[in-house]
Amino acid sequence: MNVCGITCQRGEKKQVMLRPYDLPFELPVTLICGRRQGMTLLVTTQIHAGEYNGSAASMLLARDIDPERLAGNLIIFHCVNLTGFWQRKRRFVPEDRANLNANFPGDRHGTTGHQIARWFVEHIFPQVEFITDLHGGKDNDLLEPCIFYPRAKSVTEMALSAAKKMNVPYLLASSNATGLYGYAANEMNIPGFIIERGYGCVQRPEWIEGHRDGVRLLMDHFRMYELEREIPHPEPKVYERSAYITFSERGVWHPTMTPGQPFEKGALLGYTSDFFGNVINRYEAEHAGTPIYFNAGLCVLEGDEAIAYGIDE
């Protein structure tokens, strides 16, 4: 395996720093080249800084995976939004406020976020055959573990088949074509998905273990690495359609739902008020569905994400 000029021989593990173009920082990456032939899996974390559990899980995976038992190659990016991490930003690339989940294919001569995206397109994606991007909820989200898989004709079947073997209860089709996995799926025919787990910009052991076990289940599915113990995984509910609601005003937010608890069409999902309790706006469900994540903060601004739910057909 050769990644950006770094060669990893069969049965070898290397931990290296890779510099996207001539940007003034290097990204921490573990390269594991299996003793036996197999596919190449890319694991990325902290596309959004502050979504910590994927990074913590990736460190455990890098430590535990034995290249002598591995079939194929594993490329693990322990933190993609590195400056966001060190500056304790919650989400975007601090140099230019770029959202790396909406920034692809990027621009080699653009600002920092665009250059990071373009570097992945040119130098990383051509090396891999499947992508799993580890995420979590924002600092004010409540979130059920879920997977967003691509609605991309050539790779949807492979991605969905793998997603059904994961340790999450909800799978949602996504039309995002400008995120890391979405662009790779739609424009480069590389299957993959996002695994969402945890929220609040904190790390918790069960979320870290959940992400680590998810990648292990994926590797077992592709016969890259045999499981050392049984990892329970539910029969997931698949949503081919989802609804996303954003706030149309500034206000004090009063959510009235619980993640994972189904509701009927017309149900009150929450309302905004002023500080005296006077209602500004009510948010009602246009479809029957199940909330996957929602804003649990008190202060909300116009344009903030409010709710995402899977639509029960």
Side-chain angles (χ1 to χ4, degrees), residues 22-297:
D22 55 356
L23 290 172
F25 54 82
E26 295 176 307
L27 304 182
V29 182
T30 295
L31 307 175
I32 308 177
C33 185
R35 179 62 66 185
R36 294 172 290 122
Q37 288 188 341
M39 68 184 298
T40 298
L41 173 65
L42 170 65
V43 178
T44 51
T45 74
Q46 281 202 85
I47 295 297
H48 294 144
E51 297 179 4
Y52 296 137
N53 295 287
S55 282
S58 76
M59 295 167 66
L60 296 177
L61 283 164
R63 180 196 69 189
D64 294 342
I65 296 299
D66 180 359
E68 294 294 331
R69 297 176 51 205
L70 177 66
N73 303 313
L74 189 59
I75 303 173
I76 304 173
F77 276 79
H78 298 289
C79 181
V80 174
N81 187 352
L82 190 66
T83 52
F85 175 78
W86 289 122
Q87 294 185 32
R88 294 182 178 173
K89 300 301 182 183
R90 297 306 199 193
R91 196 159 172 81
F92 302 138
V93 176
E95 289 90 339
D96 57 3
R97 294 284 300 165
N99 178 1
L100 288 176
N101 205 32
N103 215 44
F104 285 76
D107 183 350
R108 167 68 179 87
H109 303 290
T111 55
T112 299
H114 287 87
Q115 289 195 52
I116 293 171
R118 191 64 196 174
W119 182 75
F120 269 88
V121 169
E122 292 184 348
H123 295 282
I124 305 301
F125 290 168
Q127 307 287 328
V128 308
E129 296 164 88
F130 199 95
I131 297 170
T132 182
D133 190 15
L134 306 184
H135 281 247
K138 299 185 295 300
D139 54 355
N140 53 1
D141 279 344
L142 289 181
L143 177 144
E144 284 285 282
C146 64
I147 283 175
F148 290 93
Y149 67 91
R151 190 183 281 112
K153 184 180 297 184
S154 62
V155 300
T156 295
E157 184 176 352
M158 183 176 179
L160 180 57
S161 175
K164 288 179 177 179
K165 301 298 178 65
M166 298 296 99
N167 54 343
V168 301
Y170 303 106
L171 312 179
L172 298 94
S174 172
S175 298
N176 182 345
T178 58
L180 183 141
Y181 91 101
Y183 180 84
N186 284 274
E187 301 299 330
M188 301 180 72
N189 298 322
I190 304 170
F193 46 59
I194 281 179
I195 306 177
E196 299 269 9
R197 188 184 302 276
Y199 49 83
C201 294
V202 296
Q203 52 176 327
R204 285 171 51 175
E206 63 268 31
W207 295 340
I208 296 169
E209 291 296 314
H211 266 321
R212 183 182 70 167
D213 286 349
V215 178
R216 284 181 171 273
L217 285 166
L218 185 62
M219 295 172 68
D220 179 70
H221 173 70
F222 289 124
R223 294 181 171 81
M224 295 177 65
Y225 205 82
E226 186 176 348
L227 292 175
E228 297 167 337
R229 58 179 173 81
E230 184 176 355
I231 299 174
H233 54 91
E235 183 70 28
K237 176 137 188 180
V238 180
Y239 289 103
E240 295 186 358
R241 292 200 303 146
S242 309
Y244 301 87
I245 301 173
T246 58
F247 291 106
S248 57
E249 71 287 319
R250 181 178 71 174
V252 179
W253 170 235
H254 308 272
T256 58
M257 79 210 86
T258 301
Q261 184 64 46
F263 50 74
E264 298 298 322
K265 180 179 179 180
L268 178 66
L269 303 178
Y271 64 93
T272 54
S273 76
D274 60 21
F275 279 107
F276 300 105
N278 299 305
V279 175
I280 300 172
N281 200 357
R282 293 167 55 89
Y283 291 85
E284 298 177 347
E286 295 184 359
H287 315 272
T290 301
I292 305 302
Y293 65 84
F294 67 85
N295 191 320

